[in-house]
Amino acid sequence: MSVFFFKGVALFTPLVLFVMGAMGTFLNRRNLIIMLLCIELMLLAANLVFLTASVALDDINGQLLALWVMTAAAAETALGLALCVLHYRLRATLDVELINLMKGSQQNHAS
Amino acid sequence: MAGGVFLRDGYSIQMESLLWIFATAVLAMSLSWQTPAGIVSPEFVSLTLLALLGQHLLISATDLMAMYVCLELQSFAIVVLCSMDYRSAYSLEAGIKYFLLSAFSSCLLLLGIGLIYWETGLTQCHHLVELLRTTSGEPSAGLWLGIWLVSMGLLWKLSAAPLHLWVADVYMGAVSCVTLFLSTLPKIALLGFWVHTWHPLWQSTFGSGLAVFSALSLMVGALAPMAQTHLKRLLALSSVGHMGFLLMPLSAGHEAFAALWTYLAIYLVTNLAMWGLLMWPFGRPGQSFAGPQYIWDFSALNQTSPAAATAWTGALLSLAGLPPVAGFLGKLGLFWWALNSHLYSLVGIALVATLLSTVYYLRVLKVAYVENPENWGSYGEIPPVSAYLVALSWGFLVVLLWHGAPLVLFSHWLALASSVFQPFNEIRRCFMRGPL
């Protein structure tokens, strides 16, 4: 019983974190940096799934996988921040709403 | 097989050589274009090679984690390539969009892998397939969700229909040579991976559920480009439709894969010809561009440069799949196999999509041949390498419908080689069960 309880809680926490990150990326479309943070949150939540699974299954592979993911996440953040810097240099804003030069649709002309 | 993570068999070797041959053509064409276009960036080659390394390994990956790492290697390199011309706001925006959406989709993919690992403790696709077969019931909710999420991540990278929203902006904003890279090579790698390792898992969980994605992509590809006048945007949205065609055999069954590879090969050659023509310096009186941009740039093309007009005709007819050129062969194979697998409604949708897409392809030709020109521009001097490549692929497109046997045989061989694994697993399972 306690194992099931452990598994339930342990899976629930990262899933909630992941959904928070996903909502943040989609709903809170304000600032590029905040979107980066949300993506990082999602990656870390996925990492937490691997780590807890590795404990629950008593298997070392999960921790190895988490290391891979952390490396990839670091690279991803570096790329994102570089893009932020370039974008700020060019347009002096990080507002995500303004990243729609090519939308070609109503939204752009309406605003 | 290296540590059970990568598998190098006849199929993956052939797919990888196809990847590298095509990549060589793409690189030669891009490099010869960059100087006249005024984009000189020495990191282009090294980044392309990094992305190619990721794609090369992706084709032979059999472990989910290896797949994730290869996919990330590829998409990081592509993010930098998209924003290569960082003084242009368009290019930068393409890079940011690709980055945000690709990061989001790889998070979903990663969560999927995490859930699969959580449920089974496995990350190797072959083990997972065996597990699903031997338990022979419905997979548990976590495993089901995991497989669904990973597939969505892969379909996102393939730009299949409900997940195609990034395509138009990224293809339009990126520099043309990057767009050529982006619209062809990841497709080889991802389809290669899907068929090589992922397909049995998807098949045993969702059956022929890809037909839905295929149908949606076909519809988007038929309707969305109708209103577009920007050439790159038009081609980007029509590539979603071609993705729909490429997904048709995947929902049909294993023997239909031959049609998939035939179609893919023809699509690649057509794309090469078309982007070669788009990367041909183009000018109006007083202005000059790195290539034609809008549909109306082609007005009076028939008079200003008949050779270019002929080449465009060949490429566009092949994309539309009309008879005198090779595109017809690809579509014929797809429809034939889909009919054999009793996917009648999908074939119906595909026929309507072909009809509708012919409209916008022919509209481009109408501007070039029929309409009265109000103002016109003309092609400048084409870089010799591009000229040879365009001429070669144009010749290929013309000849292929009449002498298609080598390609058809090769794709049959690929289809057989990719299905080798399944009988092998069957046999092994029989032996494992024997003593019981």
Side-chain angles (χ1 to χ4, degrees):
Chain A
M1 188 62 206
S2 64
V3 173
F4 281 114
F5 179 72
F6 168 73
K7 283 191 86 168
V9 171
L11 191 55
F12 185 69
T13 321
L15 282 184
V16 167
L17 282 174
F18 191 91
V19 171
M20 275 168 65
M23 287 292 140
T25 330
F26 267 124
L27 298 183
N28 176 29
R29 286 172 162 257
R30 280 273 148 242
N31 195 306
L32 204 51
I33 298 267
I34 303 222
M35 285 180 90
L36 265 183
L37 285 180
C38 290
I39 282 169
E40 198 65 14
L41 181 63
M42 284 160 75
L43 280 172
L44 289 178
N47 234 351
L48 211 54
V49 174
F50 281 117
L51 289 174
T52 44
S54 139
V55 174
L57 298 166
D58 199 15
D59 179 36
I60 191 75
N61 270 336
Q63 297 174 31
L64 262 174
L65 300 185
L67 276 178
W68 275 116
V69 176
M70 279 171 74
T71 322
E76 194 140 27
T77 316
L79 264 182
L81 288 176
L83 282 174
C84 278
V85 170
L86 283 175
H87 190 251
Y88 191 79
R89 258 195 218 157
L90 206 62
R91 316 231 354 228
T93 171
L94 282 179
D95 196 339
V96 177
E97 298 282 327
L98 295 178
I99 310 185
N100 59 357
L101 288 180
M102 288 176 293
K103 206 65 182 174
S105 62
Q106 341 57 2
Q107 193 184 343
N108 195 7
H109 303 299
S111 61
Chain B
M1 177 117 38
V5 174
F6 294 105
L7 174 70
R8 203 166 153 72
D9 54 0
Y11 165 80
S12 60
I13 291 173
Q14 292 301 325
M15 283 304 284
E16 281 156 7
S17 31
L18 181 70
L19 182 82
W20 284 101
I21 291 170
F22 191 71
T24 318
V26 168
L27 267 178
M29 190 179 265
S30 315
L31 288 178
S32 69
W33 174 71
Q34 281 178 348
T35 331
I39 304 156
V40 182
S41 37
E43 74 270 21
F44 176 76
V45 178
S46 47
L47 282 170
T48 313
L49 286 178
L50 267 181
L52 276 171
L53 177 67
Q55 287 160 356
H56 175 98
L57 290 174
L58 182 63
I59 292 177
S60 53
T62 59
D63 189 288
L64 287 177
M65 217 49 218
M67 182 269 282
Y68 171 74
V69 175
C70 297
L71 212 57
E72 286 303 61
L73 179 57
Q74 176 213 297
S75 51
F76 288 170
I78 290 179
V79 168
V80 186
L81 281 175
C82 277
S83 46
M84 190 170 74
D85 186 16
Y86 57 83
R87 285 153 306 174
S88 135
Y90 289 106
S91 176
L92 201 56
E93 188 179 318
I96 289 178
K97 278 193 173 146
Y98 189 83
F99 169 76
L100 283 176
L101 292 169
S102 110
F104 188 77
S105 81
S106 33
C107 284
L108 286 181
L109 189 131
L110 199 61
L111 184 70
I113 298 176
L115 286 175
I116 292 175
Y117 179 69
W118 178 278
E119 287 291 327
T120 60
L122 298 172
T123 48
Q124 292 217 4
C125 291
H126 297 308
H127 294 173
L128 281 168
V129 172
E130 275 183 37
L131 182 79
L132 279 179
R133 276 195 191 145
T134 41
T135 47
S136 75
E138 285 286 302
S140 62
L143 189 55
W144 188 86
L145 188 63
I147 293 176
W148 174 259
L149 286 175
V150 174
S151 310
M152 285 310 103
L154 290 174
L155 284 176
W156 186 92
K157 305 268 176 191
L158 280 174
S159 69
L163 312 161
H164 70 283
L165 297 169
W166 56 282
V167 169
D169 290 350
V170 173
Y171 281 21
M172 181 181 157
V175 188
S176 287
C177 57
V178 178
T179 315
L180 168 61
F181 182 88
L182 188 58
S183 65
T184 48
L185 289 163
K187 283 180 185 161
I188 308 181
L190 279 156
L191 283 173
F193 170 76
W194 186 290
V195 168
H196 194 209
T197 28
W198 189 250
H199 193 65
L201 268 177
W202 170 269
Q203 189 85 5
S204 55
T205 330
F206 296 101
S208 54
L210 271 183
V212 178
F213 292 95
S214 171
L216 281 174
S217 313
L218 285 170
M219 281 190 258
V220 168
L223 297 175
M226 287 282 186
Q228 302 297 338
T229 49
H230 195 277
L231 276 173
K232 277 164 87 176
R233 226 176 152 80
L234 190 151
L235 291 177
L237 287 169
S238 85
S239 84
V240 177
H242 288 285
M243 205 54 237
F245 282 113
L246 287 170
L247 289 180
M248 269 172 77
L250 284 178
S251 46
H254 233 285
E255 61 280 4
F257 290 172
L260 169 68
W261 303 126
T262 315
Y263 192 88
L264 184 65
I266 294 171
Y267 176 66
L268 291 178
V269 173
T270 317
N271 249 358
L272 191 69
M274 213 170 48
W275 286 98
L277 290 167
L278 273 179
M279 292 194 280
W280 182 342
F282 183 86
R284 291 168 177 286
Q287 288 165 301
S288 76
F289 303 104
Q293 297 199 312
Y294 292 94
I295 289 184
W296 49 80
D297 281 349
F298 288 142
S299 50
L301 189 67
N302 187 28
Q303 280 108 47
T304 53
S305 49
T310 322
W312 269 105
T313 312
L316 287 173
L317 285 183
S318 174
L319 275 185
L322 294 181
V325 277
F328 182 66
L329 182 67
K331 286 228 163 78
L332 190 68
L334 285 183
F335 290 162
W336 177 253
W337 281 111
L339 281 179
N340 274 351
S341 323
H342 309 290
L343 293 166
Y344 300 116
S345 45
L346 189 57
V347 173
I349 294 173
L351 282 173
V352 174
T354 311
L355 188 69
L356 289 176
S357 63
T358 311
V359 173
Y360 58 77
Y361 290 130
L362 288 186
R363 196 180 51 167
V364 177
L365 292 183
K366 191 180 122 207
V367 173
Y369 280 94
V370 184
E371 271 180 12
N372 262 340
E374 286 167 9
N375 53 356
W376 58 86
S378 58
Y379 271 124
E381 199 172 329
I382 189 169
V385 183
S386 295
Y388 280 121
L389 281 171
V390 169
L392 256 181
S393 34
W394 195 82
F396 186 76
L397 288 181
V398 171
V399 171
L400 198 69
L401 186 57
W402 314 110
H403 300 279
L407 179 66
V408 172
L409 281 177
F410 177 66
S411 47
H412 263 283
W413 184 85
L414 267 183
L416 286 175
S418 68
S419 63
V420 153
F421 240 100
Q422 298 193 324
F424 175 65
N425 272 347
E426 286 294 326
I427 293 166
R428 203 164 59 173
R429 204 156 56 90
C430 291
F431 276 117
M432 277 161 68
R433 271 188 181 174
L436 300 173

